[in-house]
Amino acid sequence: MKKKLLVICAILLLLSSVIGCSKQDAGASKSKEAGEQAAAADDLSEKLTINWMARSFQGGGWPEDHPMIRELNKKFNVDLKIQWVPAANIKEKLNVLAASNEFPDVFFVLHPEFNKWKKQGLFLDVQPVLNQYPNLAKIPQDTLKRLNPQGKILGFPYYITEARDSLSVREDWLKKLNLSAPKTLDEFYEVAKAFATKDPDGNGKQDTTGFSFYIDSTTNTLRDIEFIMAGFGLANQWKEVNGKLVPYQTQVEEWKSFLTFMNKAYNEGVLDKDFAVNKIRSTIEKFESNKVGFAYLNPNEWNSSIKNVTKLVPNALVSALEPPKGPTGLTGTQIIDSLDKYVINAKIDPKKQRRILMILDYMLSPEGSDFIKHGIEGVHYKKISEDKYEKLEAADKDRQNLLNIWVFRPFTPSIQMYKWEDPALHKMMRDMFAQNQKHKWLNQAAGLESDTMTKSGANLNIKFMETVSKIIMGREPVSAIEKASADWLANGGNKIIEEINKSFKE
């Protein structure tokens, strides 16, 4: 019996040894496979053409033969062809591409389209190889996972500082009219009315107005008057009430208060009467051209905005404000969610996919983020000392930072703080971000999904906003918002609420 037990023990020991070795071999095999994949990803021997579609803003994108593109081509052995699509046309362009099924190799996609197409196999799932790209893997998980299906990464978020833009005022106009910066919405209205009626620019004409806004065609939401909406208690699209998410389309009483205010402003010339045809940046352009007294300005572009204002009015002064309090003391400021994505075409050559991932990963690295922000040393800037740099003339000519401001960049509020700038400017920018952060007006449903919203939400919101616009312009009574709300609910809104709350609980 003892001999049998000894034999059995020996066999068990032998088996455990074999199993242990096989596990080690399997682990080594996986490690080797990952190493081979990484090596393949690093292979730059073959020159590849990369078609890249990016969103552009004022001034458009780079020409093909640009020094920044040449540097990237050389570093990654690619022929990079960037198609710059104006922001106002990006949605139309995406839908044209979808109709022809001819997507570029890598491209920017608005989040409604991302939601609509993410189940169609168009976008590469990078989750299986994400650990090979350490800088991409460091993207904050809550931001990275938004809108991506569970367990998959089909798109990388385009980062925007959440509480970025600051409500700003023409301080020289305040001084000329002997007015103080408004602290409540009632005071805001009186100041804005004075800007519209008391000739703050001193040209003898009534050609200025208090404030403006635009309707975002991507999300069908009101932009640049968030502080007024928040002050009257409206949600930033969705808010949580007793553990349930409620859409602002159902906030009829809050809409009535807000729309009464807006209709009065329209009738009295306090509100820009051309708001219905405004597009993105229209309010900024009107502020910079001496036509509007209040606007949201981007602290990252503060110097540029001030420069544009003072071109026309050399002694102009601009200052940032805290959002004025509403009737019950509520405040809120503009919030931008990082929901739009950069995606890689799932159907292109895997070699191209890996090369694109390398480029994106590089843009988030210390070396790459410095490159896409500051450009080429000796061409766009020069080093004076260990902590001092000088911007060179070519930087303005080449606009070396377009990748950083429009395409893909690190996830930090300092993305547009340049090393040749005055540290005092950076402090001012950080102070503005901090002030805005105190008045965050969050969309509690940002990143949550609803099939009905994906399919029908845009049309529902367009119809709702049509009524909002008509009420502001006096073409419908304020009470018309009651029917607009009921129609939104009856035609799919109730289903959207159900689906969003299911996603919220999950």
Side-chain angles (χ1 to χ4, degrees):
M1 180 64 70
K2 286 181 180 178
K3 286 183 179 178
K4 286 182 178 179
L5 286 171
L6 287 170
V7 170
I8 291 169
C9 287
I11 291 170
L12 288 172
L13 284 169
L14 181 61
L15 284 172
S16 66
S17 175
V18 170
I19 291 168
C21 289
S22 65
K23 284 183 177 178
Q24 287 178 357
D25 290 343
S29 176
K30 284 184 179 179
S31 177
K32 183 181 178 184
E33 183 180 343
E36 288 173 350
Q37 288 176 347
D42 291 337
D43 181 10
L44 301 176
S45 60
E46 182 181 351
K47 186 167 187 176
L48 301 174
T49 298
I50 306 286
N51 294 301
W52 191 311
M53 190 182 85
R55 180 176 57 173
S56 68
F57 294 90
Q58 189 177 28
W62 291 328
E64 283 190 19
D65 185 28
H66 189 277
M68 294 292 285
I69 295 177
R70 290 200 299 267
E71 284 293 309
L72 286 172
N73 285 345
K74 183 168 62 176
K75 183 174 182 63
F76 293 100
N77 195 20
V78 293
D79 181 10
L80 191 59
K81 297 187 179 298
I82 303 180
Q83 180 184 10
W84 303 90
V85 180
N89 303 333
I90 193 75
K91 185 172 184 177
E92 179 187 359
K93 178 66 176 179
L94 285 167
N95 283 288
V96 168
L97 291 171
S100 62
N101 196 27
E102 293 182 358
F103 288 101
D105 300 324
V106 55
F107 56 101
F108 175 86
V109 60
L110 297 162
H111 67 270
E113 278 65 38
F114 179 82
N115 267 344
K116 190 163 55 177
W117 299 333
K118 66 186 178 185
K119 296 178 183 177
Q120 298 181 14
L122 298 175
F123 313 139
L124 176 70
D125 178 15
V126 301
Q127 181 63 56
V129 297
L130 190 61
N131 63 351
Q132 296 174 28
Y133 304 94
N135 300 298
L136 292 172
K138 289 177 186 174
I139 294 174
Q141 288 296 300
D142 60 334
T143 306
L144 183 62
K145 290 179 179 179
R146 280 183 181 175
L147 304 185
N148 277 303
Q150 190 169 5
K152 295 185 176 183
I153 302 297
L154 301 180
F156 294 112
Y158 168 76
Y159 170 77
I160 306 180
T161 304
E162 185 181 51
R164 186 191 67 183
D165 297 351
S166 290
L167 179 63
S168 304
V169 64
R170 280 292 295 272
E171 190 177 340
D172 55 316
W173 288 10
L174 288 175
K175 290 180 177 179
K176 180 172 183 180
L177 300 178
N178 197 27
L179 297 168
S180 299
K183 297 187 182 304
T184 68
L185 282 181
D186 284 343
E187 291 176 4
F188 166 80
Y189 189 91
E190 292 309 312
V191 172
K193 185 173 182 178
F195 285 172
T197 60
K198 295 187 177 179
D199 192 24
D201 60 353
N203 68 356
K205 302 175 183 177
Q206 194 169 328
D207 58 354
T208 55
T209 192
F211 68 103
S212 187
F213 74 96
Y214 72 100
I215 300 174
D216 188 335
S217 61
T218 300
T219 57
N220 300 301
T221 54
L222 308 181
R223 299 292 288 174
D224 291 349
I225 48 170
E226 288 87 345
F227 66 99
I228 304 176
M229 298 175 72
F232 281 108
L234 282 165
N236 180 3
Q237 299 184 63
W238 293 82
K239 72 173 183 176
E240 186 179 352
V241 179
N242 298 323
K244 182 179 179 181
L245 293 185
V246 176
Y248 73 165
Q249 287 89 345
T250 63
Q251 292 184 277
V252 172
E253 294 308 311
E254 289 87 345
W255 274 108
K256 284 181 178 178
S257 298
F258 165 74
L259 290 169
T260 298
F261 179 96
M262 295 295 288
N263 174 245
K264 180 183 177 184
Y266 183 86
N267 288 337
E268 295 185 353
V270 178
L271 167 64
D272 170 26
K273 289 186 181 291
D274 294 328
F275 75 84
V277 295
N278 284 344
K279 299 186 184 299
I280 188 170
R281 285 195 61 86
S282 289
T283 56
I284 296 173
E285 289 166 1
K286 290 181 179 184
F287 184 89
E288 292 176 349
S289 62
N290 213 38
K291 297 299 180 186
V292 172
F294 289 94
Y296 270 108
L297 298 184
N298 180 351
N300 292 317
E301 300 172 359
W302 189 261
N303 277 349
S304 175
S305 287
I306 304 308
K307 184 178 178 181
N308 288 336
V309 171
T310 53
K311 273 182 186 175
L312 296 175
V313 185
N315 62 347
L317 296 171
V318 179
S319 60
L321 302 173
E322 291 203 64
K325 294 178 181 178
T328 62
L330 292 173
T331 64
T333 193
Q334 192 178 90
I335 292 294
I336 311 172
D337 295 302
S338 298
L339 296 177
D340 297 333
K341 308 287 186 187
Y342 258 97
V343 298
I344 299 172
N345 193 327
K347 298 177 182 178
I348 62 173
D349 189 325
K351 291 179 183 178
K352 279 192 179 187
Q353 294 171 348
R354 290 193 294 267
R355 199 72 60 89
I356 291 165
L357 284 166
M358 288 180 69
I359 297 171
L360 292 174
D361 191 70
Y362 170 73
M363 288 181 176
L364 301 191
S365 71
E367 176 193 342
S369 61
D370 181 73
F371 169 74
I372 64 172
K373 184 196 285 191
H374 299 111
I376 305 163
E377 185 172 0
V379 175
H380 300 117
Y381 70 93
K382 70 177 179 179
K383 188 172 183 177
I384 306 298
S385 65
E386 198 56 40
D387 60 350
K388 287 190 177 181
Y389 297 84
E390 179 186 340
K391 180 183 178 183
L392 300 178
E393 187 178 337
D396 289 328
K397 178 174 68 73
D398 291 342
R399 295 180 301 153
Q400 89 297 334
N401 60 348
L402 291 194
L403 292 176
N404 181 60
I405 60 174
W406 292 350
V407 182
F408 197 60
R409 70 271 191 96
F411 287 65
T412 170
S414 64
I415 44 172
Q416 285 179 249
M417 297 181 191
Y418 298 93
K419 55 190 177 186
W420 50 68
E421 291 175 333
D422 184 349
L425 171 65
H426 295 175
K427 182 184 182 305
M428 183 184 73
M429 291 165 67
R430 290 190 180 97
D431 287 346
M432 282 193 273
F433 291 145
Q435 177 172 274
N436 298 339
Q437 195 75 7
K438 292 190 299 183
H439 301 278
K440 283 200 305 185
W441 186 52
L442 296 175
N443 176 2
Q444 300 290 348
L448 298 181
E449 296 182 62
S450 157
D451 285 341
T452 305
M453 186 162 65
T454 300
K455 293 172 185 172
S456 310
N459 288 333
L460 285 175
N461 291 340
I462 286 171
K463 289 177 181 176
F464 186 85
M465 280 302 154
E466 284 175 352
T467 300
V468 167
S469 295
K470 288 176 181 177
I471 293 171
I472 291 173
M473 292 186 284
R475 297 176 186 173
E476 295 274 5
V478 170
S479 60
I481 200 65
E482 295 174 4
K483 184 175 185 304
S485 176
D487 288 347
W488 186 88
L489 287 167
N491 294 320
N494 280 318
K495 190 67 175 173
I496 290 173
I497 294 171
E498 178 187 327
E499 292 168 356
I500 285 290
N501 276 279
K502 181 182 177 184
S503 180
F504 178 57
K505 289 174 183 176
E506 292 173 352

